[in-house]
């Protein structure tokens, strides 16, 4: 059976230059699957130009109606949705986000089969395609850039003006970082992406005991995981799995890190019911030393209490006033500078697209040609025949609210 895949033009504002399948990834698909055809919708903003696709033999044409499967990154505007198609994109609906309720309603009305990138997983529930690593890479850079601007000690160009990760690391190596302590939470894709940058600029990594108890004559960082900054209220040590299963039995011990840290990079995953890392009350404490927060996780008004809102690539830093618990200029002496851009990989669109595309070719495309033997498509299929699939039936009350 021949199958036509369409690479759609991104239409959401602000514009996103990323793509699911870059030119080389398209070549891999057509080489591995002779009955696969790819058509790229022309785009003036995509980081890979129309010509780059044409140069490797991929058709560029406004023929999305002819395609069976349409591949995008961000939400497709309702008016641009083509009925009766299979779509892949980040719909931002699985957590019942109010701002996308009408989008999911329209998808059902137009009999669209929606596959959300966020729920493309293996049989153990591990995500197979994600931009998390690149969020960590850009987030660490932006956090360090924010520290320079807040402290007045150095200046870095914006990440979006640089071509790739190596260029970001080259800029970081040029600067003279004072002997500050940098805290990094998270050891998943995001946290380890951030760690790549700290290691790339040859910062010294220290363990928890050293970080909490020693002073250094150079900048250092410490990467910590959930049991480093949470403990059971009853004092028992039952391991990480217990934390994930019983988060309400734990309390935060993050303040011991906040007392000695200058820059905090938040690259952790936050689960429902887990303790907040720090509260607004904690930030008021005279021992709270953190002056800059690079919040890659960007959970609004949540576990990182200084994150009042998402910021933008155009205007990435705002200030948090601990006393009034409100936004202020980040340059104010008493303010904590907050970088909370929620679409960080878009600042490194070529690298991010290449990484995502490689994973998509390896993990998702084969499912269309092997009968979905691993169940990848089945688990990610949110809608079918104008209804929510069983896995996503919990969204019925969400779409019922007109």
């Amino acid at each position: 059976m021949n199958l036509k895949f369409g690479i759609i033009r991104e239409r959401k504002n602000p514009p996103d230059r990323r793509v699911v399948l870059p030119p080389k990834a398209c070549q891999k698909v057509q080489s591995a699957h002779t009955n696969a055809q790819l058509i790229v919708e022309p785009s003036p903003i995509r980081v890979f130009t129309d010509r780059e696709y044409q140069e490797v033999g991929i058709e560029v044409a406004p023929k999305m109606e002819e395609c069976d499967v349409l591949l995008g990154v961000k939400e497709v505007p309702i008016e641009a949705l083509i009925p009766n198609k299979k779509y892949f994109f980040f719909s931002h609906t699985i957590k019942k986000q109010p701002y996308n309720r009408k989008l999911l309603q329209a998808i059902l009305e137009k009999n669209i089969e929606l596959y959300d990138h966020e729920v493309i997983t293996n049989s153990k529930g591990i995500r197979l395609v994600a931009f998390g690593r690149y969020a960590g890479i850009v987030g660490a850079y932006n956090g360090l850039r924010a520290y320079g601007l807040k402290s007045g000690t150095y200046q870095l160009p914006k990440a979006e003006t640089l071509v790739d990760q190596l260029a970001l690391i080259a800029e970081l190596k040029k600067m003279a970082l004072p002997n500050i302590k940098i805290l990094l939470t998270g050891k998943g894709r995001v946290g380890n992406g951030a760690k790549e940058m700290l290691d790339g600029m040859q910062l010294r990594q220290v363990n928890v005991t050293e970080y909490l108890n020693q002073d250094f004559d150079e900048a250092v960082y410490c990467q910590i995981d959930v049991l480093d900054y949470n403990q059971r209220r009853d004092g028992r040590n039952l391991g990480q799995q217990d934390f994930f299963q019983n988060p309400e039995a734990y309390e935060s011990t993050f303040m011991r890190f906040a007392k000695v840290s200058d820059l905090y990079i938040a690259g952790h995953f936050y689960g429902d019911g887990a303790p907040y890392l720090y509260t607004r009350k904690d930030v008021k404490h005279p021992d709270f030393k953190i002056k800059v927060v690079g919040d890659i996780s960007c959970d609004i008004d949540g576990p990182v209490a200084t994150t009042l809102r998402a910021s933008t690539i155009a205007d990435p830093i705002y200030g948090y006033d601990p006393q009034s618990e409100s936004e202020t200029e980040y340059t104010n002496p008493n303010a904590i500078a907050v970088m909370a851009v929620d679409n960080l990989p878009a600042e490194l669109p070529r690298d991010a697209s290449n990484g995502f595309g490689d994973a998509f070719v390896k993990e998702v495309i084969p499912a269309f040609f092997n009968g979905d033997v691993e169940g990848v498509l089945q688990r990610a299929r949110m809608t079918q025949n104008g209804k929510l699939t069983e896995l996503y039936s919990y969204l019925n009350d969400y779409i019922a609210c007109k």
Side-chain angles (χ1 to χ4, degrees), residues 138-187:
V138 179
Y141 179 89
N142 282 3
L144 287 158
R145 179 175 179 269
Y147 186 87
L149 291 169
K150 171 67 176 172
S151 62
T153 51
Y154 57 85
Q155 286 198 332
L156 290 168
K158 293 183 81 168
E160 64 174 334
T161 66
L162 301 170
V163 68
D164 57 19
Q165 181 188 10
L166 292 177
L168 298 185
I169 292 173
E171 290 294 334
L172 293 177
K173 282 183 169 180
K174 291 178 190 175
M175 68 185 193
L177 198 61
N179 60 330
I180 60 172
K181 285 185 174 180
I182 301 169
L183 183 68
L184 170 60
T185 49
K187 293 191 174 181

Side-chain angles (χ1 to χ4, degrees), residues 3-42:
L3 204 58
K4 282 188 182 180
F5 293 89
I7 312 295
I8 60 176
R9 170 181 171 177
E10 296 295 322
R11 290 177 166 85
K12 186 179 179 182
N13 275 317
D16 196 306
R17 304 180 68 207
R18 291 173 293 172
V19 66
V20 173
L21 295 178
K24 287 183 179 178
C26 290
Q27 278 187 302
K28 289 178 184 176
V29 172
Q30 294 197 153
S31 297
H33 307 283
T34 53
N35 47 352
Q37 182 183 347
L38 289 106
I39 304 175
V40 176
E41 186 175 14

Side-chain angles (χ1 to χ4, degrees), residues 19 21-29 46 48-49 51-54 56 58 350 354:
V19 66
L21 295 178
K24 287 183 179 178
C26 290
Q27 278 187 302
K28 289 178 184 176
V29 172
R46 190 181 291 126
F48 298 95
T49 64
R51 177 171 286 185
E52 284 180 271
Y53 284 96
Q54 291 166 333
V56 295
I58 306 299
R350 191 168 283 263
N354 281 327

Side-chain angles (χ1 to χ4, degrees), residues 3 29 34 40 46 94 119-120 129 164 191 223 314 317 333 346 357 379 400:
L3 204 58
V29 172
T34 53
V40 176
R46 190 181 291 126
I94 63 170
V119 288
I120 296 173
V129 294
D164 57 19
Q223 184 183 24
I317 309 166
R379 285 187 293 273

